Amino acid sequence: MVLWELFITFMKIGFMSFGGGYAMIPIIQHEVEQHEWMTTEHFAQSVATAGMAPGPIATNTATIIGYQADGILGAVISTIGIVLPSLIIVLIISSFFYKIVQSKAVHTTFYGLRPIVTGLIVYAAIHFGFSDRTQQLFSWQVLFTLLIAAGVFIVVHKYKWHPLATIVLSALVGIAIFS
């Protein structure tokens, strides 16, 4: 029963989600909480772990949740469930891609999805950035976290630093400040 629920849930998420893995996190969180597969704190830790692992964060998160819910088979079933919709959609779209690529409706649809995706990503960043319920919204940890985030934005946007360099530097700064 759990395997079927994992498969259907992640297949539904895979079909409903646009904008990449980070935009899918709030949807995954809702389903995880509804099925009570893990606590909110454990989910936040799972997303952090999934973000550090190579590969798409949504797929990694589904794999971790599946493993938590029903072991290795749960991990495999969850992964298949979240990946299968993308595979199906890509196969369908690629079969007539050249016919629709110039369509005004396609362009306006994707343009209309941008604010939704941005909102979901901002929600995930705020929610997981401040997931520790004991942390005050106005504290020195939050101030330094925001300063690191602003610094990363500036060096990537203005100075065109490679994102990997900012990740490594941010990790070192975080270790130095927060440990």
Side-chain angles (χ1 to χ4, degrees), residues 2 13 19 22 43 51 62 65 68 71 97 111 114 127 131-132 142 163-165 170 174:
V2 172
I13 290 169
Y22 288 100
F43 178 74
I65 293 165
Q68 174 71 29
F97 174 73
Y111 185 77
R114 287 181 186 171
H127 184 74
S131 65
D132 183 3
V142 172
L164 184 58
S170 297

Side-chain angles (χ1 to χ4, degrees), residues 4-65:
W4 181 247
E5 287 177 349
L6 286 168
F7 180 75
I8 292 299
T9 298
F10 283 107
M11 187 135 172
K12 178 175 67 172
I13 290 169
F15 272 122
M16 293 184 338
S17 301
F18 295 94
Y22 288 100
M24 295 167 76
I25 291 172
I27 300 166
I28 295 171
Q29 179 183 10
H30 175 78
E31 292 294 330
V32 166
E33 290 174 355
Q34 187 176 21
H35 288 92
E36 297 179 353
W37 286 326
M38 59 179 56
T39 65
T40 302
E41 185 64 31
H42 191 198
F43 178 74
Q45 292 169 358
S46 298
V47 170
T49 303
M52 292 187 298
I57 192 166
T59 305
N60 293 344
T61 302
T63 304
I64 293 169
I65 293 165

Side-chain angles (χ1 to χ4, degrees), residues 138-155:
F138 298 105
S139 67
W140 69 271
Q141 292 100 338
V142 172
L143 175 64
F144 277 109
T145 301
L146 293 173
L147 288 173
I148 291 169
V152 167
F153 176 80
I154 290 168
V155 299

